[in-house]
Amino acid sequence: MDNPGMREITNHRGNRQHSGTYVTGARLSEKDQIRRLVLPGNVVQVCGPPMVGKSVLVDQVVEEIRESNQNLKIFSINCKHINSLQQVLIKVHKTLFEATTTLNPVDLEDTARFVKKLKSVLQVKCCSHHVFVFHKTETLRHAGEDHAFLDFLSRLVRSDCQVHVTGTTAVFTTFQQFPVIGEHVTGVQVGMLTDPLDILTFLQHYAPGSCVRDYVDICQRFLCLPEAVRRLAEEYLSISSQRPPPGNLLSIVCRDKDLLYHIFHKRATEVKSWIGNKRDFDFLTTLVQSSLNVLTEESIREIYQRRNLHQNYEDWSVCYRRLLKKYILLRSPGTHSLSVHPLILYYCNMHGLRPHSSSVNDHSTKSHTQLLCRVLMKTDKAMLSISPRGHVFGCKVKDWPYTKQLMQTAIQDTTGGYKAFLKVAVSAREVIISSCPNGYADCKSSDQHFESALKVLKTNGPTFFYRWAQRKRGITLHRQGYHMKSLQAFKESKMIPAHLAMLPSTDDILSVPDSQADEDLVSAQIHESIPLIFTGENIKARNMLLQLKSSVPDIEHHPDYSILLNSIGLTLERAENKIQEALVWYQKSVIARKPLRAISPEILTIPMVNIGMAFFQTGQFGPIGLKAEWHKQLDYLTVG
């Protein structure tokens, strides 16, 4: 059998792919963190699991900074396999010596002397800011040279009145975390490629002109590494006519040993030194070969304790923290489950220690995370067709960047908690509902979930979320047709004390601005009118709605404004049979919803049905213009 390493990765036409350019539109949050820290006098550690693209990300950021600052000079030093500070100094010496002949050999044993002469070289360069980037420094940490290396970096960036150098920054990348301490020593974490928009950007970059949106989920769950996404896009997605269906792609990738070889083989030799000791390596091979479908801390601890039952091994918590700190075990976003780094799985598979399922890892997230991924991608795509002053999925366009950031934070959250999701549930509720118009189709157990949530929130607060959950319960009940129960839920929400169980104000992630609270109150009043209408209280409902329409500033920009308009029409039709007047309000509701029809056509259904029923009851098709508009929108719903 041929060595799989001898095959070049090609696309289906047999042409080797070349993609040397940076992916500029992805990982914007991490890039922004790094960019803010690349300041004179700072030492920046960029840390994260192997193969997540730390070095590429740093290179991209400093290049972008240099494009806007011509007085910035970059020195890049590759420290891979370097295990002593002396070797680092030799590399630095060679890097500068290639550009100038003013540097004489120095005593490498004297770090202070080396740094002083180094700064004298920098002084003659016509640059105001020097950035030293040290890539792949984990071997120094493993060899115990981390403190000496950090001391060198601190001396390098420190201001020196004797040698005038305007500013120096040191950035280093590693997957073995250094003990970073000090006022100007900071760290940035770069995680696995799990943000769906980032993955989509990578796929579109490496398979340009292709429709790759349906393949994001596969990458997010099984191939959440930049190199893996690149290889996948170039090999299987770059030619539309030969692109496999999304459902078949995973099994194809698992069988493609050449593809996996080219993704992982260069780094496979580092696995044993990365793990660090035979005890952890033996435990990991046992874990990989286990029959567990889902890895959690409890299930992994059970395997560890069972394996070490008769041996005097260290406490499980010590081992667990070490495996997490080394990024050998990874937390899956939005869930309590864990996964083993794909490189370790590949190494085990390569040596006959086969994983229990496949050669790739499953980073599956819980249903609420998957829902947010779908909503995020769908809404972000919709932004392209909405005017800057318009609305998109129940959210003002100008507010979308903030809402998008909240959703991305929740999707990538690895704490296993729900604070970030709770924030999204409130701030992006209309976005989620508008993106999933059929989300209330199966709500038999929803009331049980509300009971459970309300019980916890009543004890732990904060007040806004407790009242918000009670109101959402009322909305869900009226959408299920339980109108009397819905009215009772809205009534109970009004009886909640103003300062019940407030959490400390320092918990910023749960803080809600007054504007958000005001908007939610208006939403509750609009939705409370619906069960009033369906229980015969039409006049009361109309007065409530008209009062809102006349008294709430900028009510036309509220996410539920179209519901208000439609409900006013219902009160006119049901209470006084004023069908012609009701038609005007239904038409206004359709107009308010039209900006969203290209994304979610179902949003037009309710007012269109009301218009159609009004036509049927009157035996005529109303005003000519409204008739034409109704047919136009009906054609859009049924055809377009």
Side-chain angles (χ1 to χ4, degrees):
M1 179 179 176
D2 293 338
N3 183 349
M6 299 302 293
R7 193 197 82 174
E8 296 284 3
I9 289 293
T10 61
N11 62 17
H12 292 290
R13 287 175 290 193
N15 299 322
R16 187 179 179 187
Q17 299 292 290
H18 297 280
S19 302
T21 57
Y22 289 129
V23 182
T24 57
R27 316 205 83 155
L28 300 181
S29 176
E30 294 95 328
K31 287 170 62 178
D32 187 55
Q33 290 181 60
I34 297 171
R35 185 180 292 106
R36 291 200 306 266
L37 294 173
V38 180
L39 299 172
N42 277 359
V43 175
V44 184
Q45 173 181 224
V46 179
C47 193
M51 302 184 66
V52 296
K54 300 180 291 295
S55 293
V56 172
L57 204 60
V58 170
D59 283 343
Q60 186 175 357
V61 170
V62 294
E63 286 292 343
E64 289 174 357
I65 296 174
R66 181 162 63 178
E67 288 177 3
S68 60
N69 180 7
Q70 298 301 317
N71 289 321
L72 183 140
K73 177 69 176 177
I74 302 169
F75 303 97
S76 183
I77 297 99
N78 188 345
C79 298
K80 192 175 180 67
H81 305 311
I82 289 180
N83 56 17
S84 73
L85 178 61
Q86 286 191 6
Q87 291 175 296
V88 174
L89 300 184
I90 292 171
K91 275 251 185 179
V92 173
H93 173 272
K94 290 181 178 179
T95 301
L96 270 75
F97 193 74
E98 290 176 357
T100 177
T101 59
T102 61
L103 181 63
N104 296 319
V106 296
D107 185 0
L108 297 177
E109 297 295 335
D110 188 344
T111 305
R113 183 181 174 187
F114 181 91
V115 171
K116 184 176 181 180
K117 293 198 173 185
L118 178 61
K119 289 184 176 182
S120 68
V121 174
L122 298 178
Q123 186 180 10
V124 302
K125 296 180 180 294
C126 299
C127 295
S128 61
H129 189 186
H130 303 89
V131 178
F132 284 81
V133 181
F134 299 87
H135 292 297
K136 307 183 186 304
T137 60
E138 49 274 344
T139 311
L140 289 166
R141 169 71 166 146
H142 184 69
E145 291 281 299
D146 46 341
H147 290 287
F149 178 64
L150 289 175
D151 177 66
F152 162 65
L153 297 186
S154 297
R155 291 174 182 270
L156 179 63
V157 303
R158 190 181 305 155
S159 298
D160 192 335
C161 59
Q162 296 179 351
V163 181
H164 178 72
V165 178
T166 306
T168 304
T169 307
V171 184
F172 65 99
T173 68
T174 176
F175 62 77
Q176 298 275 13
Q177 296 185 52
F178 283 58
V180 175
I181 55 175
E183 182 180 356
H184 297 288
V185 184
T186 54
V188 175
Q189 290 285 334
V190 178
M192 305 291 279
L193 192 63
T194 56
D195 188 304
L197 293 182
D198 286 346
I199 295 172
L200 179 62
T201 302
F202 269 79
L203 290 175
Q204 291 173 336
H205 179 84
Y206 292 115
S210 302
C211 183
V212 293
R213 193 172 294 270
D214 293 338
Y215 298 89
V216 170
D217 181 62
I218 295 292
C219 295
Q220 185 188 41
R221 294 175 59 196
F222 298 100
L223 295 169
C224 45
L225 298 168
E227 176 66 8
V229 175
R230 179 180 78 85
R231 296 279 185 177
L232 178 76
E234 292 178 343
E235 179 76 356
Y236 289 106
L237 307 181
S238 57
I239 304 176
S240 300
S241 61
Q242 300 182 31
R243 190 185 308 135
N248 299 342
L249 183 60
L250 178 62
S251 59
I252 294 173
V253 169
C254 290
R255 292 194 303 268
D256 191 343
K257 295 182 179 180
D258 289 338
L259 179 68
L260 296 174
Y261 177 89
H262 280 280
I263 293 172
F264 295 111
H265 81 282
K266 289 183 179 179
R267 305 297 297 271
T269 56
E270 304 171 27
V271 168
K272 280 202 169 183
S273 62
W274 169 26
I275 295 173
N277 64 69
K278 187 176 184 303
R279 185 192 310 166
D280 286 352
F281 179 80
D282 292 343
F283 168 61
L284 286 167
T285 57
T286 302
L287 180 64
V288 165
Q289 292 175 301
S290 70
S291 58
L292 294 175
N293 292 320
V294 178
L295 298 180
T296 63
E297 181 181 353
E298 292 74 20
S299 63
I300 297 173
R301 181 176 62 235
E302 184 178 342
I303 292 174
Y304 180 86
Q305 293 174 339
R306 187 168 62 242
R307 184 178 184 277
N308 302 325
L309 185 62
H310 304 294
Q311 302 180 49
N312 187 25
Y313 277 0
E314 64 187 346
D315 182 70
W316 152 250
S317 61
V318 177
C319 175
Y320 179 64
R321 286 195 298 269
R322 182 172 62 250
L323 296 178
L324 284 175
K325 190 173 182 179
K326 288 186 173 183
Y327 307 108
I328 293 169
L329 288 180
L330 305 169
R331 288 191 175 96
S332 299
T335 177
H336 291 283
S337 64
L338 299 158
S339 59
V340 179
H341 193 286
L343 179 59
I344 295 176
L345 290 179
Y346 173 80
Y347 181 89
C348 291
N349 187 57
M350 185 175 66
H351 288 82
L353 306 169
R354 298 185 180 276
H356 64 270
S357 57
S358 68
S359 300
V360 289
N361 210 1
D362 188 346
H363 295 261
S364 297
T365 55
K366 287 191 174 180
S367 57
H368 51 262
T369 307
Q370 295 170 8
L371 171 65
L372 280 190
C373 290
R374 292 194 296 270
V375 172
L376 178 62
M377 292 178 60
K378 190 174 183 181
T379 310
D380 200 61
K381 179 183 178 182
M383 292 294 294
L384 301 176
S385 59
I386 303 295
S387 67
R389 301 178 64 85
H391 287 62
V392 54
F393 280 151
C395 165
K396 295 179 183 177
V397 171
K398 67 181 180 66
D399 294 335
W400 172 238
Y402 168 72
T403 306
K404 176 180 174 180
Q405 183 181 14
L406 286 178
M407 298 176 75
Q408 289 176 306
T409 300
I411 288 169
Q412 298 181 79
D413 179 51
T414 58
T415 63
Y418 289 89
K419 285 185 177 180
F421 287 96
L422 191 57
K423 187 75 171 180
V424 169
V426 174
S427 300
R429 63 194 184 283
E430 295 300 334
V431 176
I432 296 170
I433 292 172
S434 299
S435 300
C436 309
N438 298 320
Y440 290 85
D442 183 15
C443 294
K444 292 182 180 180
S445 61
S446 63
D447 207 45
Q448 296 177 1
H449 291 293
F450 274 116
E451 286 287 354
S452 175
L454 289 166
K455 183 178 180 180
V456 174
L457 288 168
K458 185 175 183 179
T459 304
N460 300 313
T463 308
F464 173 82
F465 291 95
Y466 181 41
R467 187 183 291 113
W468 172 81
Q470 187 66 265
R471 289 168 176 167
K472 295 304 290 184
R473 184 187 191 187
I475 294 172
T476 303
L477 285 168
H478 85 63
R479 284 174 167 164
Q480 291 178 284
Y482 300 116
H483 302 299
M484 293 304 296
K485 289 183 178 180
S486 173
L487 289 173
Q488 181 62 29
F490 283 117
K491 181 179 178 180
E492 291 175 4
S493 73
K494 299 174 184 177
M495 298 169 62
I496 296 172
H499 299 289
L500 174 67
M502 288 296 290
L503 285 181
S505 59
T506 53
D507 201 346
D508 292 335
I509 196 168
L510 291 178
S511 63
V512 176
D514 292 340
S515 59
Q516 185 80 66
D518 293 341
E519 181 181 292
D520 188 71
L521 175 60
V522 173
S523 286
Q525 292 174 310
I526 291 174
H527 282 278
E528 186 180 1
S529 71
I530 298 176
L532 285 174
I533 293 170
F534 283 93
T535 54
E537 298 283 349
N538 291 283
I539 303 299
K540 181 178 180 179
R542 189 195 314 163
N543 291 338
M544 179 191 300
L545 294 169
L546 291 174
Q547 174 67 22
L548 286 173
K549 189 175 184 299
S550 62
S551 63
V552 176
D554 297 321
I555 183 68
E556 65 274 10
H557 296 306
H558 192 281
D560 291 329
Y561 181 60
S562 63
I563 298 175
L564 179 147
L565 298 173
N566 185 74
S567 298
I568 292 175
L570 282 174
T571 63
L572 288 166
E573 181 180 350
R574 287 171 175 263
E576 304 171 57
N577 201 33
K578 295 182 177 180
I579 296 178
Q580 295 299 327
E581 292 183 35
L583 280 170
V584 175
W585 290 98
Y586 296 151
Q587 184 184 22
K588 290 180 179 179
S589 181
V590 170
I591 293 172
R593 297 171 192 236
K594 279 173 65 176
L596 302 179
R597 66 176 186 171
I599 312 133
S600 181
E602 299 92 337
I603 201 169
L604 296 172
T605 302
I606 292 177
M608 290 292 294
V609 168
N610 290 337
I611 291 172
M613 290 298 295
F615 290 163
F616 176 77
Q617 290 179 28
T618 59
Q620 60 176 331
F621 268 71
I624 300 285
L626 182 57
K627 173 184 174 182
E629 176 67 17
W630 188 81
H631 277 291
K632 180 180 177 181
Q633 301 304 329
L634 183 63
D635 289 342
Y636 188 89
L637 281 171
T638 56
V639 180

